[in-house]
């Protein structure tokens, strides 16, 4: 599983998910997260991998993950020392 077509639009990460090693490659288009950063996309891919392991079918839509609000502390500027 990997993210393809990854772009960042302001504070939004946009990408597609390519599921591999399951016979035919399956692509889930139009995923987005309300936070920037490749590390957040990696976390989303991990969540989809766990969901797949627990039985999520290829035709079930994981894009609801982008509907949660980001934690305010995660996007706050660093405090001065």
């Amino acid at each position: 599983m990997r993210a393809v077509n990854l772009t960042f639009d302001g504070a939004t990460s946009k990408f597609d998910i390519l599921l591999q090693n399951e016979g035919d490659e399956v692509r889930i288009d139009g995923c987005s997260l309300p936070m920037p950063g490749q590390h957040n996309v990696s976390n989303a891919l991990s969540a989809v991998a766990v969901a797949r392991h627990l039985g999520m079918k290829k035709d079930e839509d994981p894009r609801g993950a982008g509907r949660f609000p980001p934690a305010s502390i995660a996007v706050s500027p660093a405090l001065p020392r």
Side-chain angles (χ1 to χ4, degrees):
M1 172 180 315
R2 64 188 175 111
V4 294
N5 300 323
L6 177 60
T7 60
F8 302 105
D9 182 13
T12 302
S13 301
K14 297 180 180 182
F15 57 100
D16 302 325
I17 298 174
L18 186 61
L19 302 174
Q20 301 164 290
N21 300 326
E22 297 186 27
D24 295 331
E25 287 187 346
V26 175
R27 189 178 176 126
I28 302 168
D29 294 321
C31 300
S32 66
L33 295 172
M35 60 202 70
Q38 281 187 295
H39 60 291
N40 290 314
V41 173
S42 292
N43 290 342
L45 291 176
S46 296
V48 171
V50 169
R52 302 275 304 137
H53 179 74
L54 294 174
M56 183 184 97
K57 305 293 185 231
K58 290 180 186 178
D59 59 347
E60 291 180 299
D61 190 350
R63 289 177 287 182
R67 295 188 187 110
F68 67 92
S72 59
I73 191 146
V75 293
S76 298
L79 297 174
R81 293 180 178 221

